Amino acid sequence: MTHWLLAERRAPLPPRGGAHRPLRKRIHLAFFLVFLALPFSNLMRFDLPRQRFYFGGAELAISEFSILFFALMFLMVLLAASAIVYGRIYCSYACPQMIFSEWSLSLERWTARRLPGWARRGAFYAVLAAASVLLAFAFTSYFIAPGDLLSRFLRADLATVGGITGASVTLLTFLDLAFLRLKFCTTICPYGYLQGIVQDRRTLLVAYQDSAGACIDCNKCVRVCEMGIDIRNGPFQIECVHCGDCIDACEDVLRKVGHEGVIQYAWGEGGTAAAREPWPRRIGLRDAKRVVILLVMAAYLAALGLALSLHRPVMVRITPDRSTMFQVLPDGRVANRIRMDLANRSSRPVTVRVWVEGLPGARLDLAANPLPLAPGESLERTFDLAAAPWPGAQELNPVRVLAQSSDRSSPVVSEMMFIMPVKGSAP
Ligand code: SF4
Ligand code: SF4
């Protein structure tokens, strides 16, 4: 062993790869802030009592199926793609369970180091209880509007479904962070088992590769592993979340004796992290299967963008009602029936103004114009479009009926034919 140590000391070591744990901790903090921000900024949350779905700041009815469908499909494909290409990178870098469990373990270690014996458990549980209230509040805000939830919380509401849900989630969060933590990943969570199904021979993993026999059996890689395993027993252990902490630990130890670490991220068992390959292969696009996955993801993202761009907070549909072709009114004017369906899917009251273009002297026989619509209200109206016969009128006369809501969206234009009686025609 002394022999190779001396030999390696003379050869300059390649620069050290990135330190994974500090990077992971920064990403944990970023994801935690995103977790808090999404429901409070309406970037993504449900409002189950009001049957609403907020996405990208837009307020949608849950019945607007296309946006919900494409959003969920995109997230599902994103999760599956990250599992196929990058292994358990979601578990170690983005999963809330992992983030909060590691914070709980760090807090427990910190209180054990800094506080006297009698105060340790009390302080630990007190901080966990406060954190559980905050986390449960943020989590429940994904399903109940934060303002509504806060008022239930301040009233100590344990009578409604919303209040009981908030209290139950708080208790479960506390029990999870105090007792379950990372055991959840290896017992309850299905994602680890899913990983075993979807991974292939090019999936990123953490591997012990020691062809030079450099390992000095210091066991530091085992001591730092939060999942309590020894990566030297193989890269396909279900407990391994590919966090990279053991890579850092091994680098720390072996570089002191002039050798690179013998644990690394690798594209499949026996593969290497190929720093000199072209960038598509370096980021994991290593075969046609991965390119197809990327294209499927892009397709769902494009469909989601299209569905969002077509979304209108106020839905207006105008169609001719052909149950009667036309009607001659007592004053001699001719009327065609029009049907209008309206739905206000926003949280503000709006009005909808309707007018007609392209027909000389035409009038809409509406009781109220603009029509008021309360938040969440839907209504259906049938009314007459009437015009006196004019010189040059045909049996079928093109006409445009337009409607515009007060939320400043562009007018909805409905093009149709106005039917006039000619000799011999009947209504
Ligand atoms: S073996 Fe290494 S990569 Fe796997 S969980 Fe443990 S420390 Fe993380
Ligand atoms: S940290 Fe590296 S050198 Fe130490 S036991 Fe683990 S693999 Fe061997």
Side-chain angles (χ1 to χ4, degrees), residues 208 210 214-222 230-232 246-247 249-251 253-254 261-263:
Y208 167 73
D210 186 20
C215 174
I216 56 173
D217 287 327
C218 66
N219 270 349
K220 188 167 180 185
C221 53
V222 181
D230 185 343
I231 192 64
R232 292 171 296 175
C246 53
I247 301 176
C250 191
E251 284 277 338
V253 170
L254 287 189
V262 291
I263 308 173

Side-chain angles (χ1 to χ4, degrees), residues 287-319:
D287 56 21
K289 176 176 162 187
R290 283 153 172 77
V291 175
V292 170
I293 292 169
L294 192 70
L295 291 176
V296 171
M297 255 169 57
Y300 276 118
L301 193 59
L304 178 60
L306 183 65
L308 275 172
S309 71
L310 294 177
H311 163 73
R312 285 171 178 270
V314 180
M315 189 276 290
V316 180
R317 192 181 303 127
I318 301 171
T319 49

